[in-house]
Amino acid sequence: MENWLTKRVLLSPKQTAVVFEGQERTFQELEQDVQKWAKHLAGLEHLPKRVAVLTENNLTGYEIILALQQLGCTLVLLNSRLASDELQFQLDDAEIQLCLVSDELGAQYQLKVEQQLTFTDLRQIKAARAQIISDFAEDQVTTIMYTSGTTGRPKGVQQTFKNHFYSAVGSALNLGLGTDDNWLCAVPIFHISGFSIMMRGLIYGMTVTLFDQFNAGKVAQALVQQPVTTMSVVPYMLKQLLALQPMVPYNSHFRCLLLGGGPIDRETLEVCQQRQIPVIQSYGMTETASQVVALSFKDAPRKIGSAGKPLFPVSVRIQGASQPGQVGEIYLQSPTLTPGYLKRPAKNKQLLAASWFKTGDLGYLDAEGFLFVKGREGDMISSGGENIFPNEVEAAYVNFPELSQIVVVGVADEKWGARPVAFVAGTRLTATALREYGRAHLAHYKVPVAFYQVEDFPRTASGKIQRRRLLNARYQQNKL
Amino acid sequence: MENWLTKRVLLSPKQTAVVFEGQERTFQELEQDVQKWAKHLAGLEHLPKRVAVLTENNLTGYEIILALQQLGCTLVLLNSRLASDELQFQLDDAEIQLCLVSDELGAQYQLKVEQQLTFTDLRQIKAARAQIISDFAEDQVTTIMYTSGTTGRPKGVQQTFKNHFYSAVGSALNLGLGTDDNWLCAVPIFHISGFSIMMRGLIYGMTVTLFDQFNAGKVAQALVQQPVTTMSVVPYMLKQLLALQPMVPYNSHFRCLLLGGGPIDRETLEVCQQRQIPVIQSYGMTETASQVVALSFKDAPRKIGSAGKPLFPVSVRIQGASQPGQVGEIYLQSPTLTPGYLKRPAKNKQLLAASWFKTGDLGYLDAEGFLFVKGREGDMISSGGENIFPNEVEAAYVNFPELSQIVVVGVADEKWGARPVAFVAGTRLTATALREYGRAHLAHYKVPVAFYQVEDFPRTASGKIQRRRLLNARYQQNKL
């Protein structure tokens, strides 16, 4: 297929491509800026085939990412919220020689890499011309993103142009596609949630309204005042948006919030329904280049809590389930599936040999084919022969007074194999009250055996809570 | 990819799939009916891999076509407007053993084929079960359509699932996609214009409002009273729709008429603009599984007469043109391009060897990349070193009083190489008036040297005028 940026400029040069802090770029202007950066990059003595980028969401980062793609480089998109050691692991794993860093992050990090350049450094270098690739070959790996992996070493997920194209197409076949589409991106562009919005922008000819970070007040203002049609959110973002009172109605073009990044409680979704904010739940991962399962507008009201149905190009089955409702591991087939992990030959051999991708998530399909995700296989707590899903326990506490967050994790237990404990945030919480509430709403064995008060929760860059890290002693200092 | 019908039923079982003469089928009901037909087909002693179907637009034909696709057969879609000999050529060329014919056409045709069954015959046969294919493999040929070929023997164009999928995707990326999309199909389903609507229906989850044939009054009524959003038209259909007076405004969901099937005069498009009927011009062919170039909504008003820009997955170049505006042969690259013609190894070798597909059409790209199609390479008249495009001459006559149609063709001329002659329909036409009018509006050498009055014009099944057939003596009996 023709280079998507070139093609998009041919198709809709004057359409707004990106809006960031009041600055606007049409596709034509964006291409011109991207070409400037491509010339800066071409001025380097040696431009490696694989280049790492470390940036927050901003216009320059956006342009440099596109410039590297235009030059045919594979991008390793680094997570700006990681610690230095974590970044260093990824740089070493991907054998990075050149790392481009935003000025702000460049002042914070000194990474061990052959060449580290800030965006300002890069601007000093220049070639007369840059060799832009004319085609986006479908099997070419254009991005590598390390999975935030709550367990084990992070793995570099390779994503091809085909992966991103089918991801955009699958989403459009579910959400529809309008000439005035405008997607608000307050999720990181180094993450698949944000990067997939950039690619949709090129493929659909859609405006991306970019935010440097998620600030509920500013984002809500944009949803009201700007012609935003769609926004990607993760649960904590949605909850913060709902917490703003009073909510002014969103602008008349607004169509939906696309909710990814893990399960959400029923009550939050019901609040959205009451306020008539269409929320499309979805399910996906870095390995599938964004959502592969999503709820449609039509089904949302009656299937609250479901992640929806597999997108048109995607197939889902539940391993071992012989009838609807049976829980098992979620298996996937999708043209958006990664061709493999970087330097993980054993893992990739497995991946290629299997006709289905094992997600490591547990869930079930109901009789109509709607997927309900129960949680990570590793998070399930097997206690005395019973299976406890942390999400289910957490959801039971959603109306507990002054409890702002609860996360349930299994701890080893000699007698029962494992038992649930809970990490809670909120005010005036007592173990007695929490335990009694649990007993009133849950089977006895599901009630957490201990409650720990915490200040905040360990999260991945996309806002997912890292349950396993709660088992570190520092989260268990304040037992209720 | 998963079987599109199975998948669509999973995604939107209760969505209306097809409406025909007051009968409606949801996707679930359609699948049930299709499965019934699949069982009838499975009851045959021998079901060949390649099966011909000869049907008008009707619900049974629609279902049987889908049933054959569900069984993994390759469909040879026969044109019900052809003469017996023409059909026989295609049956022989495709080595057809089984031909399914609608009851009505079955009474008209006795084709030489191992087994010819009417739909009623087929209903008498039945197996307990049918083996539905679970996947639509992207390189599998699912349809073969013979090009209406105004010159030479018809060629069987093979179309794969991938061709049809990308055709639907390319169209959606241009026209957009809404949850209430409803496409009126009054073009034949045996032709790519109609068949591509059937496939879009499955891929988008869209309602197809099917008509047995184009009747301007009935179609206009549907555009007004039914929630039709889109309709495929060819020029003569558009003109007939416009000729209806007074035009009631179309229903509030209506979005556009997609115009294919050859060039149209500027005046007709201007009438559409005046009446605020959005017309999307497009350009495509059987070999590219429908439109590959189309005008977007936004560009339509200022680029009247252009076929638009290549759809997102498509590339176009003009052979030999070194700058915008230069006319040359239109070359294409597209994932919708046929893998080859049936039993035409020499032609296919050429096709595969070339990185671009030669359309045989002449045209140019303007400075902004809009394609203007001038006509078939073979239709161009080279007269004394000057090139004359029939379309241009015809367009000059559009306001000539009481002229309903004019078609210009080149005839061999000893002195000039070739010279234009015109075939005209209308009342009170005289050669003198026509010639004088031409001289006032055209360069001298472009004015037709002879005018022949005709009753009607030879057309292909899709409504395209077959210029070459006008050179048959019977059209030249009434010289003005």
Side-chain angles (χ1 to χ4, degrees):
Chain A
M1 219 180 288
E2 215 169 314
N3 179 319
W4 297 345
L5 180 58
T6 315
K7 179 72 186 189
R8 179 45 60 197
V9 173
L10 171 71
L11 290 179
S12 37
K14 286 169 186 165
Q15 166 85 22
T16 303
V18 57
V19 180
F20 178 72
E21 293 181 351
Q23 299 171 78
E24 287 197 20
R25 296 281 183 282
T26 64
F27 280 105
Q28 196 161 47
E29 291 163 350
L30 179 64
E31 189 192 40
Q32 283 160 4
D33 288 350
V34 166
Q35 283 181 348
K36 275 184 209 156
W37 284 111
K39 282 180 191 164
H40 292 307
L41 288 161
L44 289 167
E45 234 172 90
H46 170 63
L47 179 66
K49 282 306 276 179
R50 196 186 287 158
V51 178
V53 177
L54 179 61
T55 183
E56 315 88 346
N57 279 10
N58 59 53
L59 199 51
T60 306
Y62 202 95
E63 290 169 355
I64 288 177
I65 286 171
L66 290 177
L68 285 162
Q69 189 178 57
Q70 290 294 301
L71 292 165
C73 295
T74 297
L75 285 144
V76 175
L77 293 165
L78 298 173
N79 183 335
S80 64
R81 299 170 193 175
L82 294 185
S84 223
D85 286 356
E86 293 171 306
L87 289 174
Q88 194 61 52
F89 169 82
Q90 297 182 12
L91 291 170
D92 294 344
D93 188 65
E95 299 173 39
I96 293 299
Q97 298 165 292
L98 172 64
C99 182
L100 303 173
V101 189
S102 73
D103 293 3
E104 210 170 282
L105 291 167
Q108 291 172 40
Y109 291 98
Q110 209 40 259
L111 300 161
K112 290 184 217 92
V113 63
E114 206 171 297
Q115 193 170 20
Q116 174 175 331
L117 290 177
T118 64
F119 296 168
T120 295
D121 294 339
L122 182 61
R123 218 187 281 267
Q124 314 312 316
I125 306 159
K126 198 173 171 184
R129 53 178 58 239
Q131 193 66 42
I132 302 296
I133 55 172
S134 59
D135 292 302
F136 279 11
E138 65 173 17
D139 291 330
Q140 194 190 319
V141 174
T142 181
T143 42
I144 295 172
M145 295 178 195
Y146 279 79
T147 44
S148 42
T150 48
T151 57
R153 291 188 305 163
K155 295 186 294 289
V157 178
Q158 303 182 93
Q159 296 156 336
T160 63
F161 284 115
K162 180 184 172 183
N163 293 156
H164 293 300
F165 184 75
Y166 271 93
S167 173
V169 165
S171 179
L173 289 175
N174 180 49
L175 295 178
L177 198 60
T179 48
D180 63 352
D181 279 1
N182 181 321
W183 204 301
L184 193 154
C185 176
V187 286
I189 56 175
F190 55 74
H191 187 275
I192 187 61
S193 57
F195 187 80
S196 64
I197 299 172
M198 292 177 66
M199 293 300 102
R200 282 182 211 121
L202 299 182
I203 295 166
Y204 302 165
M206 172 184 80
T207 304
V208 177
T209 296
L210 184 69
F211 274 75
D212 60 341
Q213 58 180 337
F214 176 71
N215 172 307
K218 284 190 190 167
V219 162
Q221 199 179 24
L223 291 172
V224 171
Q225 294 174 354
Q226 288 174 36
V228 169
T229 56
T230 318
M231 176 188 173
S232 295
V233 293
V234 293
Y236 88 93
M237 292 161 70
L238 179 57
K239 288 183 184 193
Q240 285 192 36
L241 281 174
L242 293 178
L244 296 174
Q245 290 284 0
M247 290 280 291
V248 192
Y250 294 160
N251 80 87
S252 64
H253 299 271
F254 178 74
R255 286 167 55 218
C256 69
L257 299 176
L258 183 70
L259 174 65
I264 191 158
D265 58 276
R266 191 184 183 87
E267 281 70 13
T268 302
L269 293 175
E270 281 169 356
V271 171
C272 293
Q273 286 199 348
Q274 283 154 23
R275 298 199 194 161
Q276 297 189 298
I277 301 170
V279 173
I280 302 293
Q281 275 204 273
S282 71
Y283 168 73
M285 57 213 77
T286 309
E287 283 88 339
T288 58
S290 179
Q291 31 151 358
V292 277
V293 176
L295 205 56
S296 73
F297 282 108
K298 287 179 182 166
D299 296 321
R302 70 188 185 91
K303 289 289 174 179
I304 204 162
S306 167
K309 290 177 178 174
L311 300 185
F312 194 82
V314 178
S315 300
V316 164
R317 71 179 180 86
I318 303 297
Q319 170 64 4
S322 55
Q323 60 190 48
Q326 272 190 323
V327 174
E329 189 177 352
I330 301 167
Y331 278 31
L332 289 175
Q333 279 178 339
S334 176
T336 65
L337 184 67
T338 177
Y341 300 99
L342 201 65
K343 294 165 69 184
R344 299 287 187 279
K347 190 105 190 141
N348 291 344
K349 213 172 154 186
Q350 275 179 358
L351 201 74
L352 280 170
S355 56
W356 293 83
F357 174 66
K358 302 175 183 195
T359 62
D361 289 321
L362 294 173
Y364 67 90
L365 292 168
D366 74 5
E368 290 176 77
F370 286 88
L371 180 69
F372 289 79
V373 182
K374 302 289 285 185
R376 292 294 296 167
E377 191 166 32
D379 294 336
M380 193 182 73
I381 305 163
S382 288
S383 184
E386 299 283 357
N387 292 335
I388 305 168
F389 293 99
N391 299 336
E392 189 189 354
V393 180
E394 291 153 17
Y397 278 94
V398 78
N399 287 324
F400 189 88
E402 301 191 61
L403 177 72
S404 62
Q405 181 80 265
I406 178 168
V407 176
V408 173
V409 184
V411 292
D413 181 278
E414 218 169 294
K415 184 171 172 195
W416 302 99
R419 299 196 74 178
V421 300
F423 298 84
V424 293
T427 47
R428 283 192 283 269
L429 303 174
T430 68
T432 314
L434 286 161
R435 197 173 298 115
E436 275 173 17
Y437 187 91
R439 285 186 183 155
H441 292 85
L442 285 163
H444 192 86
Y445 67 91
K446 293 182 186 172
V447 180
V449 293
F451 294 87
Y452 300 97
Q453 176 107 26
V454 295
E455 292 298 305
D456 54 69
F457 291 87
R459 291 181 188 274
T460 68
S462 61
K464 276 189 219 175
I465 287 174
Q466 295 171 293
R467 292 173 186 279
R468 294 307 181 88
R469 286 182 57 193
L470 285 166
L471 296 177
N472 292 349
R474 78 173 180 95
Y475 291 103
Q476 298 173 34
Q477 285 164 6
N478 193 1
K479 187 172 179 179
L480 293 178
Chain B
M1 220 179 289
E2 215 170 313
N3 178 319
W4 297 345
L5 180 58
T6 314
K7 179 72 185 185
R8 178 46 59 198
V9 173
L10 172 70
L11 291 179
S12 37
K14 286 167 186 167
Q15 166 84 24
T16 304
V18 56
V19 180
F20 178 72
E21 293 182 352
Q23 300 171 77
E24 286 198 23
R25 296 283 184 279
T26 63
F27 280 104
Q28 198 161 45
E29 292 163 348
L30 179 64
E31 189 192 39
Q32 283 161 4
D33 288 349
V34 166
Q35 283 181 346
K36 274 185 211 159
W37 284 111
K39 284 181 190 163
H40 292 308
L41 288 161
L44 288 168
E45 231 171 277
H46 169 64
L47 179 66
K49 283 305 279 178
R50 197 185 286 158
V51 178
V53 177
L54 179 61
T55 182
E56 316 84 348
N57 279 10
N58 59 54
L59 200 50
T60 306
Y62 201 94
E63 290 169 354
I64 288 176
I65 286 171
L66 290 177
L68 285 161
Q69 190 178 56
Q70 289 293 302
L71 292 166
C73 295
T74 297
L75 285 145
V76 175
L77 293 164
L78 298 173
N79 183 334
S80 63
R81 298 173 194 173
L82 294 183
S84 223
D85 285 355
E86 294 170 306
L87 289 174
Q88 194 62 51
F89 170 82
Q90 297 183 11
L91 291 170
D92 294 343
D93 188 65
E95 299 173 39
I96 293 300
Q97 296 165 292
L98 172 64
C99 182
L100 302 173
V101 189
S102 73
D103 294 3
E104 209 169 282
L105 291 167
Q108 290 173 41
Y109 290 98
Q110 210 37 259
L111 300 162
K112 288 183 218 91
V113 63
E114 205 172 297
Q115 193 170 21
Q116 173 174 333
L117 290 177
T118 64
F119 295 169
T120 296
D121 295 337
L122 182 60
R123 217 188 280 269
Q124 314 312 315
I125 305 160
K126 198 173 172 185
R129 53 178 58 239
Q131 193 66 41
I132 301 297
I133 55 171
S134 59
D135 292 304
F136 279 13
E138 65 173 17
D139 292 331
Q140 193 189 319
V141 174
T142 182
T143 41
I144 295 172
M145 295 178 194
Y146 279 79
T147 44
S148 45
T150 47
T151 56
R153 289 191 306 165
K155 296 187 292 290
V157 178
Q158 302 182 92
Q159 296 156 337
T160 64
F161 284 114
K162 181 183 172 182
N163 293 156
H164 293 300
F165 185 76
Y166 271 92
S167 173
V169 165
S171 178
L173 289 175
N174 180 50
L175 294 180
L177 197 59
T179 48
D180 64 352
D181 279 0
N182 181 320
W183 203 302
L184 194 155
C185 175
V187 287
I189 55 176
F190 56 73
H191 187 275
I192 187 60
S193 57
F195 187 80
S196 64
I197 299 172
M198 292 178 66
M199 294 299 102
R200 281 182 212 122
L202 299 183
I203 295 166
Y204 301 165
M206 173 184 80
T207 305
V208 177
T209 297
L210 184 69
F211 274 76
D212 60 340
Q213 58 180 339
F214 176 71
N215 172 305
K218 284 188 191 170
V219 162
Q221 198 178 23
L223 291 172
V224 171
Q225 294 174 353
Q226 289 174 37
V228 169
T229 56
T230 319
M231 176 188 172
S232 295
V233 293
V234 293
Y236 88 93
M237 290 161 71
L238 178 58
K239 289 185 184 191
Q240 284 192 35
L241 280 174
L242 293 177
L244 295 175
Q245 291 285 359
M247 288 281 289
V248 192
Y250 293 160
N251 79 88
S252 63
H253 300 270
F254 179 74
R255 288 167 56 219
C256 69
L257 298 176
L258 183 70
L259 174 65
I264 191 158
D265 58 277
R266 192 184 182 87
E267 280 71 12
T268 301
L269 293 174
E270 281 170 355
V271 171
C272 293
Q273 287 199 348
Q274 284 155 21
R275 299 198 193 163
Q276 296 189 299
I277 301 170
V279 173
I280 302 294
Q281 275 205 275
S282 71
Y283 168 72
M285 56 213 77
T286 309
E287 283 88 340
T288 59
S290 179
Q291 31 152 355
V292 278
V293 175
L295 205 56
S296 73
F297 282 109
K298 288 178 182 167
D299 296 321
R302 68 188 185 92
K303 288 290 175 178
I304 207 163
S306 166
K309 290 177 178 174
L311 300 185
F312 194 83
V314 178
S315 301
V316 164
R317 71 179 181 85
I318 303 297
Q319 170 64 4
S322 55
Q323 61 188 49
Q326 272 189 323
V327 174
E329 189 178 352
I330 301 168
Y331 279 29
L332 289 176
Q333 278 178 338
S334 175
T336 64
L337 185 66
T338 178
Y341 300 98
L342 201 65
K343 293 165 69 183
R344 298 288 187 281
K347 189 105 191 143
N348 292 344
K349 214 172 153 184
Q350 275 179 357
L351 200 73
L352 280 171
S355 57
W356 292 83
F357 174 68
K358 303 176 182 195
T359 62
D361 288 322
L362 294 173
Y364 67 90
L365 292 167
D366 74 6
E368 291 177 76
F370 287 88
L371 179 69
F372 289 79
V373 182
K374 302 288 284 186
R376 293 293 297 169
E377 193 167 30
D379 294 337
M380 194 183 73
I381 305 161
S382 288
S383 185
E386 298 283 357
N387 292 336
I388 304 168
F389 294 99
N391 299 335
E392 189 189 355
V393 180
E394 290 153 16
Y397 278 94
V398 78
N399 287 325
F400 189 90
E402 301 190 62
L403 176 71
S404 61
Q405 181 80 266
I406 177 168
V407 176
V408 172
V409 184
V411 291
D413 182 278
E414 217 168 298
K415 184 171 175 193
W416 302 99
R419 297 197 74 178
V421 300
F423 297 84
V424 293
T427 47
R428 283 191 285 268
L429 304 173
T430 68
T432 314
L434 285 161
R435 196 172 298 115
E436 276 174 17
Y437 187 91
R439 286 186 182 154
H441 292 84
L442 286 164
H444 191 90
Y445 66 91
K446 294 181 185 170
V447 179
V449 293
F451 295 87
Y452 300 96
Q453 176 107 28
V454 295
E455 292 298 303
D456 54 72
F457 292 86
R459 290 181 189 273
T460 69
S462 60
K464 277 188 221 176
I465 287 173
Q466 294 172 294
R467 290 173 188 279
R468 294 307 181 89
R469 286 182 55 194
L470 285 164
L471 296 177
N472 292 349
R474 77 175 181 94
Y475 291 100
Q476 296 173 36
Q477 284 165 5
N478 194 359
K479 186 169 179 180
L480 293 177

